Amino acid sequence: MLEAFQESIKDYSTPPEKALIRDLTAKINCYVSFLIECRPLSISMGNAIRFLKTRIVKLPLTLSESEAKATLLSDIDRFINEKIILADKVIVRHAVTKIRDGDVLLTYGSSSAVEMICLHAHDIGKQFRVVVVDSRPKLEGRLLLHRLVRKGITCTYTHINAVSYIMHEVNRVFLGASSVLSNGTVYSRVGTACVAMVAHQFHVPVLICCEAYKFYERVQLDSICSNELGDPDAISKVPGRKEINYLDDWANRENLQLLNLIYDATPSDYVSMIITDYGMIPPTSVPVIVREYRKEHLWI
């Protein structure tokens, strides 16, 4: 998304008798409205958009159009490099210290941060096994499984309905996150809360890997008051199993509704540690990260 904004800024030229700051902000608002029509914005996208708008508003009026555009392009590059690329490398460096030889690690779905942690730990010679837990309808874990097996990492693949069976073998759970809210709640792919709850019951540490740009000052206690709805057909149909597609005509049944939630909220009680580019912190320290991050980089 940020790279798309960079392209739009490169192509932008200020209309006659208009100020760059106001007109470019209006243009960005139009692009954001289009993105929202396609799909609701993730929290990290919202934070990045807020960052860009703040940078536009704070441009000195003395700058020429070319200088202002160059400044914005540089700011976006710096955000991508520092807050996304470098942040992931720092998270990996912290997280591999929690992996010991002989460990059995469990992850759910497909997190790019968790993937990088596993690959780096394997590259430095650590011996461990990864349990990849997956669920319908997206089955994202298959992509992660393919990448890990291709690199020579020993893996086990199972679905979320067997997570309580396999959890007794696990030493640590590594999970990704779409966002971490200021009360320590982890907002992530639906099913994450179930995995974390089972791990908590089995006294297995749950480590959340999340970059600081995904932290958000909002508080949310459940998955219903704010969420994204997926395609109902994705859960009503089973590919290749026509004999059990009993819900083909669900749209014609007035007394039936299908609920395909994209995210869920994991309570902070189930989280042992959050690994960020600011270090490894308990969920109770999330408000500190939110405050310091805003002060350092974004919109204060």
Side-chain angles (χ1 to χ4, degrees):
M1 182 195 71
L2 287 171
E3 288 172 348
F5 281 142
Q6 278 186 315
E7 293 301 318
S8 67
I9 290 170
K10 287 177 186 175
D11 297 338
Y12 173 81
S13 58
T14 310
E17 301 180 2
K18 287 199 174 183
L20 179 142
I21 292 175
R22 288 186 179 180
D23 190 63
L24 183 55
T25 301
K27 286 278 196 302
I28 296 295
N29 286 336
C30 290
Y31 302 148
V32 172
S33 297
F34 172 74
L35 290 175
I36 293 172
E37 284 183 17
C38 297
R39 183 182 174 185
L41 294 179
S42 67
I43 289 173
S44 54
M45 290 169 75
N47 284 344
I49 290 166
R50 209 183 313 185
F51 157 80
L52 177 57
K53 286 183 178 179
T54 304
R55 285 291 179 262
I56 294 172
V57 169
K58 290 189 174 181
L59 285 172
L61 296 173
T62 54
L63 292 181
S64 67
E65 181 181 307
S66 59
E67 290 172 334
K69 288 166 66 173
T71 300
L72 290 175
L73 294 174
S74 174
D75 285 342
I76 293 174
D77 275 333
R78 187 160 53 88
F79 186 94
I80 292 172
N81 289 326
E82 291 182 8
K83 299 302 173 184
I84 301 176
I85 297 172
L86 187 60
D88 280 333
K89 292 179 180 178
V90 173
I91 288 172
V92 168
R93 195 175 72 228
H94 287 308
V96 292
T97 64
K98 297 298 178 183
I99 300 175
R100 296 192 290 264
D101 284 341
D103 272 356
V104 177
L105 312 178
L106 184 143
T107 187
Y108 173 69
S110 179
S111 163
S112 58
V114 173
E115 179 185 340
M116 286 187 283
I117 291 164
C118 293
L119 293 179
H120 182 65
H122 179 69
D123 289 342
I124 62 177
K126 295 198 175 188
Q127 302 295 319
F128 59 95
R129 177 162 66 93
V130 179
V131 178
V132 179
V133 179
D134 210 354
S135 68
R136 291 190 62 246
K138 290 185 177 291
L139 296 173
E140 294 170 312
R142 291 185 180 183
L143 177 61
L144 175 64
L145 182 73
H146 171 71
R147 289 172 173 168
L148 296 182
V149 170
R150 191 174 57 187
K151 291 291 184 178
I153 298 173
T154 304
C155 295
T156 300
Y157 180 74
T158 188
H159 277 206
I160 195 168
N161 52 342
V163 70
S164 60
Y165 169 79
I166 202 148
M167 190 62 75
H168 71 276
E169 302 177 14
V170 175
N171 302 108
R172 258 167 285 284
V173 174
F174 282 91
L175 299 171
S178 297
S179 178
V180 176
L181 309 181
S182 62
N183 62 339
T185 297
V186 176
Y187 195 63
S188 191
R189 176 69 65 211
V190 67
T192 303
C194 178
V195 173
M197 180 178 65
V198 173
H200 179 74
Q201 193 65 32
F202 278 79
H203 305 290
V204 177
V206 176
L207 289 78
I208 303 294
C209 307
C210 184
E211 304 89 337
Y213 76 92
K214 295 180 180 178
F215 282 44
Y216 195 41
E217 63 269 24
R218 190 178 72 194
V219 171
Q220 188 171 322
L221 300 177
D222 58 46
S223 309
I224 300 300
C225 61
S226 176
N227 210 316
E228 181 181 346
L229 293 176
D231 180 12
D233 284 331
I235 58 173
S236 67
K237 297 177 181 177
V238 182
R241 297 287 305 278
K242 290 184 178 180
E243 72 275 11
I244 60 170
N245 284 338
Y246 304 117
L247 300 178
D248 282 348
D249 62 340
W250 69 269
N252 300 321
R253 303 183 187 183
E254 293 183 1
N255 61 337
L256 173 64
Q257 288 184 329
L258 300 185
L259 183 63
N260 181 15
L261 294 177
I262 300 296
Y263 302 105
D264 67 15
T266 304
S268 59
D269 293 345
Y270 299 154
V271 177
S272 309
M273 180 186 293
I274 301 174
I275 305 175
T276 78
D277 35 313
Y278 284 84
M280 295 181 280
I281 62 168
T284 50
S285 296
V286 171
V288 178
I289 299 293
V290 171
R291 185 184 69 233
E292 292 303 313
Y293 185 73
R294 286 163 60 102
K295 192 184 299 182
E296 172 204 347
H297 203 75
L298 284 181
W299 42 85
I300 282 186

